[in-house]
Amino acid sequence: MTHVLSAVAWPYANGPRHIGHVAGFGVPSDVFSRYMRMAGHDVLMVSGTDEHGTPILVQAEQEGLSPQGLADRYNRVITEDLQGLGLSYDLFTRTTTANHHSVVQEMFRTVHKNGYMVAQKGMGAISPSTGRTLPDRYVEGTCPICGFDGARGDQCDNCGNQLDAIELKNPHSRINGETPVFVETEHFYLDLPAVADALGSWLQTRADTGRWRPNVLNFSKNLLEDMKPRAMTRDIDWGIPVPLAGWEENPAKRLYVWFDAVIGYLSASVEWARRSGDDDAWRAWWTDPSAESYYFMGKDNITFHSQIWPAELLAYDGRGAKGGSPGTFGNLNLPTEVVASEFLTMEGKQFSSSRGVVIHVRDVLARYQPDALRYFISAAGPETNDSDFTWQEFATRATSELVAGWGNLVNRTASLIAKNVGEIPAAGELTDADRTLLATTRGGFGVVGDLIEHHRQRAGLGEAMRVVGEVNKYLTDQEPWKIKNSDPDRMRTVLHVTAQAVSDCRTLLSPYLPHSAQKVHEAFGGTGTVSPLPELREVTDLDDGRPYPILTGDYRRGETLPAWGSAPIVPGTPVAAPTPIFTKLDVAAVVEEELARLAQ
């Protein structure tokens, strides 16, 4: 058993999240975490809402709320949506907790003490209409290196080079289009050049594993070519105070939202431990060198997870050119793997809430089954290439694959057993066809499990559905309904073998389809939980008493979660006539209705 940290990107709390977001960070991390738990690993899956920074201020003004009020609103919306999607967080929290502030300030103080956080003056982008600092990512213009029109003030997604906003040609604000004013201001900069060699050595160890996705590894290596100090504070009054004398009292200086957001993986782990009753429990995932950590996000966040966050960890531990020693947290583990997905578009267009090209998670969940969305993301999502969500493909896959393939197998098997036996029948002597099918379903566990573990989830789902197809073929070929009277013993054996195969397929698919996995279990007379779902729990802040919702759950293998493998079914278990597991969609009607809704 290995301690595995599943570190999931923090959704920003300035509005509800759309399906492109959860395609990048949500479903892939959950499929991985559910499988790893079933395979026997001790998984800690953490995240929360990211609630600091200028975009929160901008949105709060538009909605007539305080920044905290806006964060409270969308923290709850996002938490409810992720619960509805079935994401099995051990803790989904937020960055406005006192615990998070404390952990972030400890990280800053130690990085500063070790000499890697240096005060220096630079040019900052200011909105002339509001006087506020514009975040790097809210300044766009033409890349001075490759000429790409649409580069951001922190990097160019076209050529991958890091930038400063002042370097952009024809810079403008993404908020209102105005040209920013650049003024001199003093900030703390993370001395990236001082940890460049350590970062390069670490990335080489990751390359040597052969596990990282090539696009992520190559992008990360390219970042090493132009390492320069990066500002980690901002001229803003909404965020975490800089914990140093002369700075902490300044109401207009706060830590950069991206500095504090990535530290959320650690602070959420600390909060989880504190809520568990063992304040040091988090250390098993963070300070034990044998523990593994996997970070899930969209490709636009690779820089912060393969450069900025590892640099912060190295600086905190004193493993850069300036030396130093770790603070109270001790030596902290660097990421085992950065698992970045590509982008999901919608009907051929980039998601854009402002332009109405968007569908929010909660809208999909209000009209369709959560496993239908999870299935689409797993089967056709942006795993290694950009992919496009269309209502035609979504409805077609839900109907022709989920309903006609897996759902039909479950329903007709349970119906045959309920009608002809009334309970799981015992098996008689097995034929070669029986043994071949059972060998196929048992063999699926090694193949599908290996693919999920190596973040090839699309191929894993494809293999699981191939096994489903083999079971469907077996049942069709054996025709047990024709031998009820002529050979009832053989009929019972065929139904037993099919029920065992369906049970195996249910387990194979449960990381992908947790809601329906529980329904399939119950359709065959099963009791108890085999596919645990997250619980939304109302809590109070551990340090200041403010209320907020969290996601958590009981995902213990052997108690609420089966082991990854074939488990013998129990003859004699009563089976009643089933109800359909999945809802069949009228594809043409869905497409017409949803495209009309999108047009409006």
Side-chain angles (χ1 to χ4, degrees):
M1 182 177 70
T2 301
H3 283 86
V4 174
L5 177 70
S6 189
V8 189
W10 291 60
Y12 202 58
N14 66 335
R17 299 297 86 185
H18 59 63
I19 60 173
H21 294 127
V22 295
F25 73 79
V27 174
S29 64
D30 189 56
V31 172
F32 175 80
S33 299
R34 286 178 178 276
Y35 162 72
M36 293 296 277
R37 292 186 185 111
M38 295 172 75
H41 300 288
D42 201 345
V43 174
L44 181 62
M45 180 176 170
V46 294
S47 186
T49 45
D50 179 8
E51 301 180 358
H52 294 128
T54 298
I56 294 290
L57 293 174
V58 172
Q59 191 66 30
E61 280 190 358
Q62 292 177 355
E63 299 194 22
L65 296 169
S66 68
Q68 187 64 64
L70 182 91
D72 290 344
R73 169 181 290 180
Y74 290 116
N75 163 258
R76 184 168 296 276
V77 167
I78 293 168
T79 301
E80 290 173 351
D81 289 352
L82 301 185
Q83 181 197 23
L85 198 54
L87 305 188
S88 58
Y89 290 101
D90 291 280
L91 180 66
F92 184 85
T93 179
R94 62 194 306 185
T95 59
T96 51
T97 67
N99 171 80
H100 177 71
H101 284 216
S102 175
V103 172
V104 169
Q105 290 183 328
E106 158 60 17
M107 288 286 295
F108 182 92
R109 280 191 293 265
T110 301
V111 171
H112 178 263
K113 179 198 69 175
N114 287 341
Y116 299 95
M117 199 67 74
V118 181
Q120 64 183 54
K121 293 182 178 180
M123 302 302 289
I126 302 295
S127 165
S129 62
T130 67
R132 289 201 190 107
T133 298
L134 285 169
D136 297 335
R137 291 194 161 197
Y138 271 62
V139 181
E140 289 186 347
T142 302
C143 176
I145 299 171
C146 72
F148 175 66
D149 184 18
R152 297 192 304 260
D154 59 349
Q155 71 183 43
C156 174
D157 287 337
N158 186 57
C159 65
N161 284 288
Q162 291 186 64
L163 302 170
D164 286 327
I166 199 171
E167 297 174 329
L168 294 173
K169 298 178 181 178
N170 304 314
H172 60 272
S173 167
R174 284 181 54 197
I175 298 172
N176 56 18
E178 65 186 0
T179 301
V181 175
F182 291 92
V183 300
E184 187 177 71
T185 184
E186 186 175 30
H187 286 296
F188 275 104
Y189 285 72
L190 179 62
D191 191 352
L192 289 173
V195 294
D197 288 344
L199 271 174
S201 297
W202 166 69
L203 275 175
Q204 187 57 51
T205 68
R206 301 301 86 209
D208 292 342
T209 67
R211 296 245 337 223
W212 279 37
R213 291 174 176 170
N215 61 318
V216 179
L217 185 62
N218 293 335
F219 185 92
S220 303
K221 284 184 173 181
N222 289 339
L223 293 174
L224 296 172
E225 297 177 3
D226 185 28
M227 297 278 279
K228 52 188 176 183
R230 188 87 177 247
M232 289 294 143
T233 55
R234 289 292 186 270
D235 294 308
I236 188 176
D237 59 3
W238 176 244
I240 300 176
V242 182
L244 295 175
W247 289 73
E248 196 164 18
E249 301 80 12
N250 188 335
K253 294 284 186 183
R254 292 292 184 268
L255 295 175
Y256 180 30
V257 61
W258 265 105
F259 176 81
D260 89 76
V262 289
I263 297 173
Y265 302 118
L266 175 60
S267 70
S269 302
V270 172
E271 181 182 345
W272 169 84
R274 294 178 66 189
R275 292 192 182 281
S276 75
D278 179 359
D279 288 1
D280 288 326
W282 63 272
R283 293 184 181 276
W285 285 269
W286 284 92
T287 63
D288 182 346
S290 67
E292 298 178 356
S293 54
Y294 298 86
Y295 290 74
F296 295 86
M297 76 224 58
K299 66 179 178 181
D300 54 333
N301 291 338
I302 293 175
T303 299
F304 292 95
H305 292 84
S306 68
Q307 183 192 70
I308 303 301
W309 178 227
E312 291 176 26
L313 292 168
L314 290 165
Y316 182 85
D317 290 349
R319 287 186 275 171
K322 297 180 178 180
S325 57
T328 58
F329 296 136
N331 288 299
L332 299 170
N333 292 337
L334 291 166
T336 301
E337 187 170 353
V338 173
V339 187
S341 298
E342 300 294 297
F343 288 151
L344 183 72
T345 56
M346 182 178 179
E347 299 289 349
K349 300 177 182 178
Q350 287 190 337
F351 278 94
S352 172
S353 298
S354 62
R355 293 192 296 269
V357 184
V358 67
I359 179 166
H360 296 119
V361 173
R362 62 177 34 215
D363 294 330
V364 177
L365 297 182
R367 299 194 288 274
Y368 306 101
Q369 293 176 296
D371 279 358
L373 178 58
R374 290 177 64 109
Y375 184 86
F376 176 89
I377 291 172
S378 299
E383 185 172 274
T384 55
N385 300 98
D386 290 352
S387 64
D388 191 40
F389 176 92
T390 68
W391 285 110
Q392 177 73 44
E393 186 176 6
F394 169 79
T396 299
R397 283 185 177 274
T399 299
S400 65
E401 296 174 19
L402 273 186
V403 176
W406 176 224
N408 180 55
L409 173 63
V410 171
N411 285 344
R412 68 173 178 155
T413 302
S415 295
L416 285 167
I417 293 174
K419 179 180 178 180
N420 295 294
V421 187
E423 62 184 31
I424 300 291
E429 184 176 350
L430 300 183
T431 66
D432 287 346
D434 302 336
R435 286 187 286 269
T436 296
L437 179 68
L438 294 177
T440 297
T441 59
R442 287 194 297 267
F445 288 99
V447 177
V448 174
D450 184 70
L451 289 168
I452 294 176
E453 185 172 348
H454 288 82
H455 310 294
R456 295 181 60 199
Q457 294 181 7
R458 180 184 296 183
L461 180 58
E463 176 63 18
M465 291 299 288
R466 185 193 70 79
V467 174
V468 168
E470 291 295 321
V471 183
N472 261 317
K473 183 178 184 302
Y474 166 87
L475 185 57
T476 298
D477 291 345
Q478 296 302 315
E479 299 180 316
W481 52 87
K482 288 187 176 181
I483 56 174
K484 175 181 179 180
N485 297 321
S486 62
D487 195 349
D489 289 341
R490 177 58 189 160
M491 179 199 70
R492 287 172 175 269
T493 298
V494 170
L495 293 180
H496 175 95
V497 170
T498 307
Q500 180 65 64
V502 168
S503 175
D504 291 348
C505 290
R506 182 210 74 213
T507 305
L508 285 171
L509 288 166
S510 63
Y512 297 97
L513 310 173
H515 301 83
S516 56
Q518 184 66 37
K519 293 179 180 178
V520 173
H521 172 67
E522 294 167 0
F524 286 85
T527 59
T529 302
V530 296
S531 186
L533 295 173
E535 169 196 348
L536 192 153
R537 185 179 301 169
E538 303 290 342
V539 300
T540 55
D541 192 292
L542 292 167
D543 300 303
D544 69 15
R546 283 190 308 114
Y548 61 97
I550 63 170
L551 290 183
T552 187
D554 182 1
Y555 316 112
R556 292 172 293 175
R557 197 178 82 146
E559 297 187 37
T560 63
L561 199 65
W564 185 254
S566 178
I569 57 175
V570 180
T573 302
V575 176
T579 56
I581 301 296
F582 298 105
T583 301
K584 185 177 181 179
L585 302 178
D586 181 332
V587 176
V590 167
V591 173
E592 181 180 2
E593 176 185 338
E594 294 296 349
L595 290 182
R597 183 179 282 114
L598 182 63
Q600 294 169 3

